[in-house]
Amino acid sequence: VCGATGNVFNFVENFLGVSFLEAVKIVADRIGEDFTIRENKEDIKNKKYYDIMNLSMMLYENNLRTAQGEEAKEYLHKRGITDEIIKDFSIGLSLKDPDMLYKLLSKKGISKADMSALGLIAEGENGIYDLFRNRIMFPLKSPSGKVNGYSARIYNAESNSKYINTRETILFKKRENLFNYHLAAPAARQAK
């Protein structure tokens, strides 16, 4: 009736806005067939790093939901960023504590070398410190939707740097990332 053509996989792909392989997986699950999508080799190789970045994102998201995050949340609301947008984009907050993330990740058995390789910490005269402090955190994600870096914005103080972005790391390659690609790609495919 609508003029669309194709098969069941194309229908699921277009209707749900997912990739072809995801559509095949959905259909296979629906009819009880086993179909496993193999992860990208880079994603498999870097799994431990993606897990570390995911932990950091969860901490930042939680911080924004605490009493200490109220001022940052008000700032976002004044800028037209709703709670729904905050959730959809996994926006978080790094607190003033100079080594909160370092302490949390250390307790989880994550090495200083791994944290440093991901651009999360640095070491100075006063010891190890989190690179992102007292900033609203915008996670940057790979084309497959895994957190690979951050753009962090100052919100309540003067600073020489309004934004601090993740440097090039094992996971984050600036030239290979487009903000929100993992969410925009299905919609772009659907709109052709």
Side-chain angles (χ1 to χ4, degrees):
V1 173
C2 68
T5 61
N7 56 38
V8 67
F9 304 115
N10 300 125
F11 173 79
V12 172
E13 183 180 6
N14 292 328
F15 187 75
L16 297 178
V18 296
S19 72
F20 179 77
L21 284 177
E22 290 167 320
V24 172
K25 171 90 171 113
I26 290 166
V27 171
D29 288 346
R30 180 85 175 196
I31 64 170
E33 289 293 323
D34 185 34
F35 180 80
T36 305
I37 299 174
R38 283 184 280 152
E39 284 191 73
N40 172 320
K41 286 180 185 177
E42 282 299 306
D43 286 356
I44 293 168
K45 181 179 97 176
N46 293 316
K47 183 182 181 333
K48 81 171 183 173
Y49 297 119
Y50 283 119
D51 289 346
I52 294 167
M53 293 301 285
N54 194 55
L55 280 172
S56 69
M57 182 183 70
M58 290 184 337
L59 171 69
Y60 295 143
E61 284 180 302
N62 186 62
N63 288 345
L64 191 60
R65 292 188 295 262
T66 67
Q68 292 174 298
E70 282 303 312
E71 184 182 355
K73 206 173 214 184
E74 282 178 34
Y75 173 86
L76 289 167
H77 289 161
K78 286 178 186 173
R79 304 282 308 250
I81 299 173
T82 65
D83 288 336
E84 184 180 349
I85 293 170
I86 290 169
K87 184 179 179 213
D88 289 348
F89 289 89
S90 307
I91 297 170
L93 176 68
S94 62
L95 300 178
K96 291 179 184 179
D97 187 328
D99 60 358
M100 177 185 247
L101 180 64
Y102 171 69
K103 287 176 186 173
L104 171 82
L105 295 179
S106 293
K107 285 180 185 174
K108 301 268 184 197
I110 297 164
S111 74
K112 180 172 68 170
D114 286 343
M115 289 183 248
S116 182
L118 292 168
L120 296 172
I121 63 165
E123 197 162 0
E125 294 174 4
N126 299 326
I128 296 169
Y129 61 92
D130 297 346
L131 275 170
F132 302 107
R133 291 179 313 283
N134 198 34
R135 291 177 181 271
I136 294 173
M137 303 298 291
F138 298 90
L140 305 173
K141 296 183 179 182
S142 70
S144 60
K146 292 177 173 62
V147 180
N148 61 6
Y150 290 100
S151 184
R153 190 193 197 290
I154 200 77
Y155 69 98
N156 66 352
E158 291 299 316
S159 173
N160 291 336
S161 302
K162 187 185 276 189
Y163 286 93
I164 297 176
N165 298 314
T166 296
R167 62 175 166 74
E168 296 266 326
T169 68
I170 294 165
L171 299 179
F172 183 73
K173 308 286 187 255
K174 187 175 180 178
R175 70 184 178 280
E176 295 174 8
N177 277 266
L178 180 62
F179 184 74
N180 197 37
Y181 176 82
H182 69 289
L183 295 176
R189 273 195 301 271
Q190 191 170 11
K192 295 186 178 161

